[in-house]
């Protein structure tokens, strides 16, 4: 089984960007998702172009962080009074469900305009490095009314894959997990995403897009460890999956612990490599 270690959020902040680049330079990540709405893209492109191995790159579609790539007058629903993107997963869903069909079409057109601009900005800045896939910040690309937009942008821009987060059930890796509220909250998120993912693989393939057989990273968001990765690999193998994308949120390596919301650091990933975890997971 092919296992891809992938970190989201390159460009989110200077610290997160530094941590991801450290992990890529150390060869312990296979790829990363690039945000167009955060850090300047030109310096990122220079660092990525000089890596020993070309990384697998994705566009990290976003509606909640940073400033839009499209002009403000083209995407007024997406931004707040400060001109920054404002749509969380829940706010976007509510805004598309509880409105008239005409208003929904107008709002979806704004999302498409912004995501097309984000995708083109990343592809242009990182060229000639290829863009392999599209995914979404907080999986927002999986929302009803929105997922067809993400898939259409990928197909239109010649991007060959889209993330469909179907995470196989991995049993708790320790008894302590049963007493962690975050683990149960993440279980709920996992179930919601499984529901949203239903049928989306077939939709993607009709557009010529590939999807990983399984994705892990929701259940142990903020708590990812060697044991969690191996549990996910075993669960994917039980399902007969041929590919597994392990979604990490790498943070800066300064200090003994990752910052809030970051599940690991470049140093901890190197620890996984030294311990043989990556080899046992058959990472390709």
């Amino acid at each position: 089984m092919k296992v891809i270690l992938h970190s989201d959020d390159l460009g989110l902040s200077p610290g997160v960007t530094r941590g991801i680049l450290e992990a890529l330079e150390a060869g312990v990540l296979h790829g990363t998702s690039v945000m167009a709405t955060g850090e300047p893209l030109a310096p990122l492109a220079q660092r990525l172009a000089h890596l020993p191995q070309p990384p697998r790159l994705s566009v990290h579609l976003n509606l909640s962080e940073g400033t839009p790539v499209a002009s403000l007058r083209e995407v007024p629903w997406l931004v707040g009074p400060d001109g920054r993107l404002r749509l969380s997963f829940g706010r976007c869903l509510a805004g598309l469900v509880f409105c008239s069909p005409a208003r929904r079409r107008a709002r979806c057109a704004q999302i498409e305009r912004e995501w097309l601009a984000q995708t083109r900005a990343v592809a242009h800045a990182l060229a000639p490095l290829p863009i392999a896939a599209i995914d979404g910040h907080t999986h927002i690309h999986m929302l009803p009314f929105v997922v067809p937009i993400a898939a259409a942008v990928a197909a239109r821009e010649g991007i060959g894959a889209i993330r469909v987060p179907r995470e196989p059930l991995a049993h708790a890796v320790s008894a302590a997990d049963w007493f962690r509220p975050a683990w149960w909250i993440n279980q709920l998120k996992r179930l919601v995403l499984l529901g949203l993912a239903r049928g989306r693989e077939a939709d993607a393939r009709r557009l010529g897009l590939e999807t990983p057989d399984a994705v892990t990273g929701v259940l142990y968001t903020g708590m990812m460890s060697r044991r969690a990765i191996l549990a996910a690999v075993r669960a994917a193998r039980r399902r007969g999956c041929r590919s597994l994308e392990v979604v990490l949120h790498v943070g800066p390596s300064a200090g003994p612990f990752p910052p809030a919301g970051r599940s690991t650091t470049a140093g901890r990933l190197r620890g996984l490599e030294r311990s043989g975890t990556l080899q046992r997971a058959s990472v390709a």
Side-chain angles (χ1 to χ4, degrees):
M1 181 175 66
K2 182 178 182 181
V3 179
I4 302 166
L5 293 183
H6 187 95
S7 182
D8 286 353
D9 299 340
L10 185 68
L12 177 65
S13 71
V16 169
T17 296
R18 184 174 67 252
I20 294 172
L21 290 173
E22 287 174 358
L24 288 168
E25 289 167 350
V28 291
L29 272 180
H30 302 104
T32 186
S33 298
V34 184
M35 298 179 73
T37 59
E39 294 290 295
L41 291 172
L44 297 182
Q46 293 178 1
R47 293 282 297 274
L48 293 171
H50 289 89
L51 291 173
Q53 294 293 328
R56 176 184 181 271
L57 297 173
S58 302
V59 177
H60 203 44
L61 299 174
N62 166 44
L63 295 176
S64 60
E65 300 280 354
T67 55
V69 178
S71 67
L72 295 179
R73 70 175 185 276
E74 293 181 310
V75 292
W77 183 60
L78 308 187
V79 298
D82 59 355
R84 296 178 65 83
L85 293 166
R86 67 178 186 91
L87 295 183
S88 65
F89 191 97
R91 178 177 285 182
C92 185
L93 177 61
L96 293 175
V97 170
F98 300 111
C99 67
S100 67
R103 180 164 292 183
R104 183 181 302 122
R105 286 192 295 271
R107 290 175 173 179
C108 285
Q110 292 183 40
I111 293 172
E112 181 175 16
R113 200 171 296 128
E114 172 61 18
W115 280 358
L116 189 60
Q118 290 182 17
T119 301
R120 288 177 173 174
V122 171
H124 176 75
L126 270 53
L129 294 173
I131 304 299
I134 269 182
D135 53 53
H137 191 52
T138 69
H139 303 289
I140 199 166
H141 70 299
M142 292 303 300
L143 283 174
F145 310 112
V146 171
V147 63
I149 298 172
V153 167
R156 179 174 176 177
E157 296 304 299
I159 297 171
I162 185 170
R163 179 188 293 165
V164 177
R166 295 163 297 171
E167 182 161 3
L169 178 61
H171 297 293
V173 299
S174 74
D177 291 341
W178 294 96
F179 302 98
R180 290 178 176 174
W183 192 79
W184 292 102
I185 292 170
N186 288 345
Q187 281 281 18
L188 179 59
K189 291 178 182 178
R190 171 185 165 274
L191 292 174
V192 168
L193 288 170
L194 281 176
L196 293 175
R198 191 178 298 275
R200 295 307 179 186
E201 180 184 12
D203 293 343
R205 288 183 176 172
R206 278 193 288 271
L207 291 172
L209 303 176
E210 297 180 354
T211 65
D213 289 344
V215 175
T216 190
V218 176
L219 187 56
Y220 280 92
T221 296
M223 303 180 290
M224 189 64 79
S225 65
R226 178 183 62 171
R227 294 174 67 186
I229 291 174
L230 289 176
V233 169
R234 288 191 294 267
R237 282 179 173 158
R238 285 196 298 269
R239 286 183 49 186
C241 296
R242 294 168 297 174
S243 61
L244 170 68
E245 183 180 6
V246 179
V247 179
L248 303 164
H249 294 88
V250 174
S253 58
F257 299 105
R262 302 286 107 189
S263 59
T264 192
T265 66
R268 290 186 177 191
L269 283 172
R270 281 192 289 267
L272 294 181
E273 185 178 57
R274 286 194 299 269
S275 70
T277 296
L278 303 191
Q279 288 84 351
R280 289 198 297 275
S282 301
V283 175

